[in-house]
Amino acid sequence: MKQTLDCRKNISLPHNILLINDWSDGGVVFAIADNKPDNEYEIVWTDSSDLYRLIDGQQLPKDISRFDNFSVWVADRVEFERENTF
């Protein structure tokens, strides 16, 4: 939560964006809150520079990783670890 608040202050991150994970490798995972009736937020995994696109009101690139909700993102990460663990 601290990263989100810092980004809201320092780079004017919109209030509907919540940072989920930042591995300090140039990539970032964030949730985009919207008005869906089920309160499921889309999860986006992309380059941290794409946050600036959102701030500027630009479209995100088509080739980023998008997940319908947090559970789908977690399941993807679990499956990745399962497949890539020796």
Side-chain angles (χ1 to χ4, degrees):
M1 185 68 172
K2 182 175 177 349
Q3 282 182 320
T4 298
L5 295 175
D6 288 346
C7 284
R8 285 182 182 156
K9 178 181 173 186
N10 296 325
I11 64 171
S12 300
L13 185 70
H15 286 280
N16 69 325
I17 305 295
L18 175 65
L19 297 178
I20 303 294
N21 202 347
D22 181 355
W23 286 282
S24 297
D25 65 354
V28 64
V29 178
F30 56 90
I32 301 176
D34 56 22
N35 294 325
K36 290 181 183 176
D38 60 4
N39 289 326
E40 292 285 354
Y41 300 153
E42 178 184 21
I43 305 298
V44 177
W45 183 2
T46 189
D47 187 272
S48 58
S49 64
D50 289 331
L51 287 175
Y52 292 96
R53 286 190 173 110
L54 282 175
I55 292 165
D56 291 340
Q58 298 176 22
Q59 293 285 329
L60 291 173
K62 301 272 188 230
D63 62 344
I64 63 175
S65 298
R66 292 178 176 266
F67 304 87
D68 289 337
N69 57 53
F70 186 74
S71 298
V72 174
W73 176 71
V74 169
D76 179 80
R77 297 291 77 218
V78 168
E79 186 60 29
F80 176 84
E81 290 299 323
R82 187 176 295 140
E83 291 174 358
N84 292 289
T85 302
F86 294 82

